[in-house]
Structure formats: structure tokens, C-alpha cells
Amino acid sequence: ITFQGIREIVFQLRDFESFRPPVAHWMMSQSDYEIEVSEHEGWDFFRDCIAPTRESWQWIADRQVIDQLHESGSDPAKPHLLDFFFTGATAGLQQVADTLLERGYILGDGSHDFRDGNLCIRKAMPLDLPEVYDHTLQHLELADEFGVDYTGWGAGVEK
């Protein structure tokens, strides 16, 4: 994993002792790099420091949707009508809808009483990853607050 000029190389091992000599040999052959070795039992280090968080996975998902729209010929500078989706209990969906309507969103097509367990709510914006991601984080927080699930977003191609 490489991030901001730092490369993490993670190994999950049964036996540290047999792995140490080859690592030491490899480290000596890498004179151009500063290398630190850290040993941890179990998977806690991976889960706490390496594995993507829910927010990181969402950034990746948002980027993938935007990339797919670009590849389909969408003009990223043009406003796109983004459909944001939530599922859950009627009361929670109503609270999410009320909050987002106050923020300038509009209701999407379909049932507006949320008895089917779904909410589609829309907002026009350019395909700007940081801006879309900011909305996504707000949706995750609202979903947590009102006990529903935010399931993602989509948009049509705008040429």
C-alpha cells in the first residue's frame, strides 16, 4: 500500500522467526529507502491501520461511479441530476427526506410515503469527486442518525 510517499508492506505470518532472516537480507539491499519493521500479533494492526474505513470505501465507490460516467461520455462540468438512495423504516426515511428537502434536494420518482422502504432523493451538481463525496458523508451521517441505510447514488450521462 502506497500513500503520500510511504509504502506499507504487510505480511500475515504463522512464524516470525523464519521470516526475519529474509527480511533482514532484503532490508540491507534497499539502501535508498528508510525502512522500519513492526511486528503485531493477530489482525488488529491491519484492521486499525491498513484496512479501508467505511468512509474510504465510500470515496472509492463514488470515484468509480464518476469514472464510469466519464467513460460513458458524460461531461463532468455539466450539472448532473444525482439520485441518492436510502432504505429502511418509513419513519427514518421520512426524517432523512425532510432534512434533505430543507437542504435543497428534491424527491425522486416513485412512492413518496416510503412504505416500500425506499427513498430516492435528487440534487443537481457537477461530477466533482470532493463535492459528491461531501454529500455522501452527510448522507452516511443522516442514515446513522435516523436508523436507515444509505445505499449509494447514480446519475444519467450528460453530454
Side-chain angles (χ1 to χ4, degrees), residues 134-145:
D134 181 56
H135 286 263
T136 294
L137 291 180
Q138 292 173 39
H139 298 336
L140 289 170
E141 289 174 11
L142 281 176
D144 289 347
E145 181 179 346

Side-chain angles (χ1 to χ4, degrees), residues 22-94:
V23 168
H25 177 68
W26 174 79
M27 287 174 64
M28 289 187 295
S29 69
Q30 305 299 317
S31 61
D32 293 343
Y33 299 97
E34 178 182 336
I35 298 173
E36 296 177 20
V37 175
S38 178
E39 295 178 2
H40 305 273
E41 291 288 334
W43 285 94
D44 291 341
F45 174 77
F46 180 80
R47 279 191 297 270
D48 296 342
C49 302
I50 304 296
T53 62
R54 173 178 82 156
E55 291 78 13
S56 297
W57 281 120
Q58 194 59 59
W59 174 271
I60 293 166
D62 288 352
R63 187 188 68 223
Q64 288 174 332
V65 174
I66 289 172
D67 288 349
Q68 290 170 351
L69 286 165
H70 287 173
E71 289 170 13
S72 297
S74 223
D75 180 350
K78 286 191 175 179
H80 287 65
L81 190 59
L82 276 59
D83 291 325
F84 296 97
F85 300 100
F86 297 82
T87 61
T90 302
L93 293 175
Q94 183 66 60

Side-chain angles (χ1 to χ4, degrees), residues 94-118:
Q94 183 66 60
Q95 289 173 302
V96 169
D98 291 345
T99 301
L100 292 176
L101 288 169
E102 289 175 9
R103 295 180 186 174
Y105 289 74
I106 59 173
L107 287 173
D109 296 334
S111 170
H112 293 168
D113 62 13
F114 317 118
R115 284 184 288 187
D116 65 354
N118 294 292

Side-chain angles (χ1 to χ4, degrees), residues 12-20:
Q12 183 70 24
L13 308 167
R14 289 180 201 220
D15 178 19
F16 287 132
E17 295 303 321
S18 64
F19 193 65
R20 285 184 184 119

